[in-house]
Amino acid sequence: MGSGFDRDADEFARGARAIVVLPDQGGASRDADARLEETAGLAAAIGIEVVDRVPLRVRTPRPATLIGGGQVEALREKVETLGATLAVFDSALTPVQQRNLETGLGCKVIDRTGLILEIFGERARTAEGRLQVELAHLDYQSSRLVRSWTHLERQRGGFGFLGGPGETQIEADRRMIRDRMARLRRELDQVSRTRTLHRDRRQRAPWPVIALVGYTNAGKSTLFNRLTGADVMAENLLFATLDPTLRQISLPGIDKAILSDTVGFVSELPTQLVAAFKATLEEVISADLLIHVRDIAHPDSEAQRADVESVLSEIGVDAETPRLEAWNKLDALGDDQREQIMGEVAGRGDVVALSALTGEGADRLVDVAARQLTAGHRRYTLSLDPGDGAGAAWLYQHGDVVDHWIDADGAHYDVRLAPSDFERFNSR
């Protein structure tokens, strides 16, 4: 029963002709066309064919359908004319609204949260990523139950829900979902403990951690590949990267650092995903430096910046964590825009303009990141046993050794270190 059901859901998602609907309730800080383009891109990311994009002005949200009755009728005619089998609403829908809209439009309806969860379910590759997606999906579905969940004794890789309805055995299904979620949380707790052990080991090593963060499709993975020589998937595709990737890099004055590429953020990121992916984003929470990669050519670049900062705050990133903005995609700007951007950057020490695609500005980003990491260094005098070669090597790798001498009391080093590195050295 499970395998046939899964195949139907995948075929529905891949073969769907969809209209994208943007219910504009006013007061939005985003460009409507850019928002529709983004949602269409999200749908295309899982193979859905977008046949029309419809902005709707909603003056008074209706509890039953969100949009007005006349708008529902107009959309139904559009669905029938275009042969659409799916309507994607770029907003959050309650279970009642979703069900009523499906009846009124005569096609399947999903909201923004459901669409993003669908993408994550298809893209997650590691065991941890699949666990996180399944947990987020079950949390979302627990209040909707648009199908029977009697297949949950078998673990799946991706958890789509674009298939048909089936609201049988509601209480039994809810109990199965609760039990499954409890098991998933236990498994993720174990993954989190393992990750913490690895992170503690790096702290003792110790190497500074630099985390790339930013809106989805801002170019983080392209920049990551540029700086590390890695081959992380980097395409002009929303949510091309889900699972975090860590690589070792060298910076001026810093022998080794860890660079982390993380999942891209998006406006109105589902709360279920924020909670589920918090373990994955622990590298961001504990990072010594955040490089916020921005698509400076995007019309909503400033709004995207606010969305990223909001998610960072939600997952518990300290507001005092040093930040550096990388204004990416210079190659996509016209001459006038480029001149304006370069003028803005010239007067700021916390921003670097670059093109991760061509490499322009990448060297400057590395230099500025190194200066950020070493800006708070202080001068310390440390004494070691003459035979402590590992300790001496560590000081040369992670600090600036100003002077060195040996006397009857041991080997002494006059060195500039970050206070955090000084603490790490003393606790090694």
Side-chain angles (χ1 to χ4, degrees), residues 382-397:
L382 302 172
S383 299
L384 301 176
D385 292 331
D388 189 0
W394 192 96
L395 291 176
Y396 277 99
Q397 288 174 354

Side-chain angles (χ1 to χ4, degrees), residues 105-156:
L105 300 181
C107 69
K108 183 69 183 176
V109 172
I110 60 173
D111 62 5
R112 184 177 178 85
T113 298
L115 180 61
I116 293 174
L117 287 172
E118 188 79 13
I119 297 170
F120 273 57
E122 181 172 297
R123 294 286 173 75
R125 292 291 178 264
T126 65
E128 179 184 7
R130 290 193 293 269
L131 288 173
Q132 290 165 330
V133 170
E134 183 181 351
L135 178 60
H137 172 67
L138 292 176
D139 186 24
Y140 175 76
Q141 287 294 88
S142 61
S143 64
R144 298 173 187 255
L145 290 174
V146 298
R147 60 163 62 147
S148 174
W149 289 96
T150 54
H151 63 288
L152 283 181
E153 68 275 2
R154 186 178 67 81
Q155 185 173 352
R156 295 175 53 207

Side-chain angles (χ1 to χ4, degrees), residues 14 57 63 78 109 126 147 149 156 330 334 390 420 428:
R14 281 289 169 187
R57 178 66 173 163
K78 193 176 289 288
V109 172
T126 65
R147 60 163 62 147
W149 289 96
R156 295 175 53 207
L330 279 179
S420 58
R428 70 188 178 97

Side-chain angles (χ1 to χ4, degrees), residues 189-209:
D189 284 343
Q190 180 59 48
V191 171
S192 180
R193 284 193 293 271
T194 302
R195 188 186 298 277
T196 299
L197 290 174
H198 291 168
R199 187 171 60 253
D200 289 345
R201 192 174 298 122
R202 285 196 300 274
Q203 292 284 346
R204 289 195 299 271
W207 302 322
V209 174

Side-chain angles (χ1 to χ4, degrees), residues 155-323:
Q155 185 173 352
R156 295 175 53 207
F159 282 77
F161 49 89
L162 292 173
E167 299 189 15
T168 60
Q169 299 180 320
I170 296 294
E171 290 304 320
D173 290 345
R174 283 180 175 154
R175 184 170 60 253
M176 291 181 68
I177 290 177
R178 287 195 300 269
D179 292 345
R180 179 64 175 161
M181 289 175 68
R183 288 196 297 272
L184 289 172
R185 289 194 176 100
R186 287 195 295 270
E187 292 182 53
L188 281 170
D189 284 343
Q190 180 59 48
V191 171
S192 180
R193 284 193 293 271
T194 302
R195 188 186 298 277
T196 299
L197 290 174
H198 291 168
R199 187 171 60 253
D200 289 345
R201 192 174 298 122
R202 285 196 300 274
Q203 292 284 346
R204 289 195 299 271
W207 302 322
V209 174
I210 303 170
L212 299 179
V213 298
Y215 208 81
T216 183
N217 209 28
K220 295 184 307 303
S221 295
T222 302
L223 180 59
F224 183 85
N225 291 341
R226 171 72 60 181
L227 297 179
T228 66
D231 58 353
V232 172
M233 180 183 178
E235 296 183 9
N236 184 26
L237 191 68
L238 296 171
F239 293 120
T241 305
L242 289 188
D243 298 307
T245 307
L246 306 177
R247 290 290 187 277
Q248 178 181 304
I249 62 171
S250 296
L251 301 175
I254 302 174
D255 183 64
K256 294 178 183 178
I258 300 296
L259 186 65
S260 171
D261 183 24
T262 60
V263 61
F265 301 153
V266 71
S267 64
E268 300 175 28
L269 187 67
T271 54
Q272 294 92 345
L273 277 178
V274 173
F277 275 79
K278 196 166 184 177
T280 300
L281 295 171
E282 283 175 353
E283 295 296 341
V284 174
I285 298 172
S286 62
D288 298 282
L289 174 65
L290 297 181
I291 296 181
H292 181 172
V293 183
R294 292 177 56 186
D295 178 357
I296 204 63
H298 196 281
D300 281 337
S301 182
E302 195 59 41
Q304 290 179 351
R305 177 188 181 278
D307 288 330
V308 171
E309 289 296 334
S310 175
V311 175
L312 290 175
S313 175
E314 191 172 351
I315 65 175
V317 173
D318 191 336
E320 300 302 316
T321 301
R323 285 166 167 76

